Amino acid sequence: MSNKILSALFGAGLAALALSPAAMAEPQELAEMHAEMEGCEACHADGEPSADGAHEFEQCQSCHGTMEEMDDVHKPHEGNLMCADCHAPHDSNVGDRPACDSCHDDGRTAESVLK
């Protein structure tokens, strides 16, 4: 089916998404993506998890920055949480956004915080 027909049927945005290689890609676990870059050592010292997660937390920050340096959703968690508390790398896929209500029962969402 041509792009013209898809655009007419679904609108330009949906047609682009439908033809996008990313739209067809299988979900990838965060840990797999990081391991493809540098092996398990990308996150873990000697490829083994640390007892307290501190090494892994430092590794996250060395690439992604501190929570204070990130957006308004991350800033309030500085000093209270480690990245893996919300972004469980062996249980989450690339692009997954953790739900605020898994910890906050007051109706907060990332969208409401960023407004």
Side-chain angles (χ1 to χ4, degrees):
M1 194 176 287
S2 75
N3 282 343
K4 236 180 190 175
I5 295 170
L6 284 172
S7 292
L9 289 173
F10 302 109
L14 288 175
L17 179 62
L19 297 175
S20 159
M24 300 301 220
E26 289 289 319
Q28 184 180 26
E29 193 178 79
L30 284 174
E32 290 173 4
M33 185 215 35
H34 286 93
E36 285 176 4
M37 293 186 316
E38 297 178 40
C40 297
E41 290 80 8
C43 301
H44 303 293
D46 301 321
E48 295 294 325
S50 64
D52 61 2
H55 176 80
E56 290 79 6
F57 184 50
E58 289 175 15
Q59 293 300 100
C60 294
Q61 293 180 92
S62 71
C63 293
H64 299 282
T66 66
M67 286 191 231
E68 183 63 34
E69 296 169 332
M70 294 180 153
D71 60 31
D72 290 339
V73 172
H74 290 89
K75 287 178 185 181
H77 299 101
E78 178 73 34
N80 298 314
L81 297 173
M82 292 194 284
C83 301
D85 291 333
C86 297
H87 303 279
H90 290 279
D91 297 323
S92 301
N93 288 324
V94 175
D96 284 354
R97 293 179 64 178
C100 299
D101 65 358
S102 60
C103 296
H104 300 284
D105 62 1
D106 60 3
R108 276 185 274 189
T109 65
E111 290 76 23
S112 68
V113 171
L114 292 173
K115 287 183 182 178

